[in-house]
Amino acid sequence: MCSVTVRYALLHEIPGQSRARLRLHGPDTRRFLQGTLTADVESLREGQALAGALCTVKGKLVTEVVLLAGASEEEVFVLVPESLGDDIAQHFDKHIIMDEVEVESQGSVGLALAWSTDSEAPPAIEGQAGYVTRHPAPGRLLVGDDAELRGLLAAHEDAGVEGWNAHRVASASPAWGQEIEADFFPPEIGFVYAVSYDKGCFLGQEPLARIHARGQVNRVMVRVKAAAAPTEAVAIGTADKPNSGRWTTWASVDDGVQGLAIVRRAVAEAGTPLVSVGDSPIELEVVSGPLGDDPGVGNRKRSATVKLGGRR
């Protein structure tokens, strides 16, 4: 029987991926979060992590979040980018009007993600159950201090930043500060899996529902490949459209590098050649269609009609 290879990344050591933890508790905690965040908080279960976003009333991203179930239905932990911890705690507190909810800021927290290279199932880690998650990439999320996490994962392979990026590229997982940025719609940055369209009203729900109905975003996330990598995120374009997007993530593969980029929908087609903008241009190629996108219910229906030979 083949052994399963487990790799991990200590997220608190990767620039931009450290998290602060907020504890929300009280009888109205889930109802409050359900009306505030894009995720279906009522679906959150023990041992599960749930991706979500806090948006403006216009549907633009303020921050991504990861929700963890607490010891009871009245307790939910919210992981947010470390630099935004106090701001998001104050935002929540400001918007609690009639609900019985308390917000407690617990500061920065150690965080690791473990995944299997041989199976899609999240690996079991002896000593901590952790949380099965899709975000910040598929696997098992472990929470604890640095020494505890290193002890739990000592028998497994530290993937480092390069392996972490490779896992994200392979699983089409956008990251905060790279693909995921404030003032974007979630579908523009490959983050539509953090949005529930069926749960009812939430902050920013109306514009996101219109996108879902009609598919209006002009930017999307795609995979790209190239012979070499840039030294930092860089603008990319075509010969006639020099500013067609931004190359945000890359990782080495056998024949060069693969990465993620946010591009205009017009160039989001496999086989499209692009080039980085700057003193040392790098040629690259789009190798996927839109990832984590929401093309809209109307577009899906039109596409189905075309496949059926125009029958309605």
Side-chain angles (χ1 to χ4, degrees):
M1 180 181 294
C2 295
S3 61
V4 174
T5 301
V6 175
R7 308 189 80 193
Y8 69 90
L10 296 171
L11 302 185
H12 56 274
E13 289 198 336
I14 297 176
Q17 300 311 304
S18 57
R19 296 293 194 274
R21 181 170 59 187
L22 310 178
R23 176 178 177 255
L24 277 69
H25 57 99
D28 297 326
T29 293
R30 292 199 174 214
R31 183 175 69 181
F32 168 72
L33 290 174
Q34 186 80 330
T36 304
L37 303 175
T38 61
D40 183 4
V41 183
E42 293 294 350
S43 71
L44 184 63
R45 298 291 179 263
E46 183 180 358
Q48 174 194 16
L50 184 64
L54 174 64
C55 293
T56 67
V57 293
K58 294 183 178 181
K60 296 292 187 75
L61 201 79
V62 174
T63 184
E64 47 95 87
V65 302
V66 179
L67 304 171
L68 309 177
S72 72
E73 288 288 310
E74 296 188 1
E75 180 182 57
V76 175
F77 294 98
V78 184
L79 302 179
V80 300
E82 185 177 18
S83 62
L84 297 180
D86 291 340
D87 291 341
I88 302 305
Q90 291 172 15
H91 178 96
F92 284 158
D93 201 49
K94 178 181 177 181
H95 286 82
I96 296 170
I97 308 300
M98 301 296 291
D99 293 309
E100 291 187 52
V101 184
E102 293 185 28
V103 181
E104 175 189 344
S105 181
Q106 298 187 323
S108 60
V109 62
L111 206 63
L113 184 84
W115 66 93
S116 170
T117 61
D118 310 286
S119 170
E120 292 185 2
I125 304 298
E126 186 175 353
Q128 188 184 127
Y131 303 86
V132 175
T133 192
R134 167 67 181 87
H135 185 77
R140 189 172 298 275
L141 201 60
L142 307 174
V143 181
D145 62 35
D146 183 77
E148 177 188 3
L149 294 175
R150 289 180 184 276
L152 288 169
L153 295 164
H156 305 297
E157 180 183 344
D158 185 351
V161 177
E162 179 79 9
W164 160 248
N165 283 334
H167 182 48
R168 290 199 304 103
V169 172
S171 58
S173 301
W176 175 255
Q178 291 173 263
E179 295 75 34
I180 303 177
E181 295 185 81
D183 297 324
F184 281 78
F185 292 116
E188 291 183 301
I189 50 177
F191 201 41
V192 76
Y193 59 78
V195 181
S196 171
Y197 295 105
D198 302 321
K199 69 168 188 167
C201 294
F202 57 86
L203 197 61
Q205 183 261 345
E206 288 188 11
L208 292 179
R210 287 196 293 272
I211 290 171
H212 184 55
R214 289 179 264 180
Q216 293 179 319
V217 293
N218 294 320
R219 290 175 289 199
V220 292
M221 186 175 75
V222 295
R223 283 193 193 90
V224 295
K225 70 175 183 178
T231 57
E232 60 184 6
V234 63
I236 52 178
T238 63
D240 57 341
K241 294 181 180 178
N243 188 15
S244 295
R246 190 166 178 80
W247 190 1
T248 51
T249 293
W250 47 88
S252 298
V253 292
D254 291 340
D255 57 348
V257 298
Q258 278 204 353
L260 298 174
I262 306 299
V263 301
R264 296 190 180 278
R265 188 182 290 276
V267 302
E269 183 176 348
T272 302
L274 299 172
V275 64
S276 67
V277 178
D279 294 335
S280 302
I282 301 171
E283 293 182 352
L284 61 157
E285 180 184 340
V286 178
V287 293
S288 77
L291 303 168
D293 171 39
D294 187 349
V297 173
N299 285 337
R300 284 193 289 272
K301 287 180 178 178
R302 284 190 290 274
S303 177
T305 299
V306 170
K307 290 180 180 178
L308 289 170
R311 296 195 303 274
R312 292 185 181 274

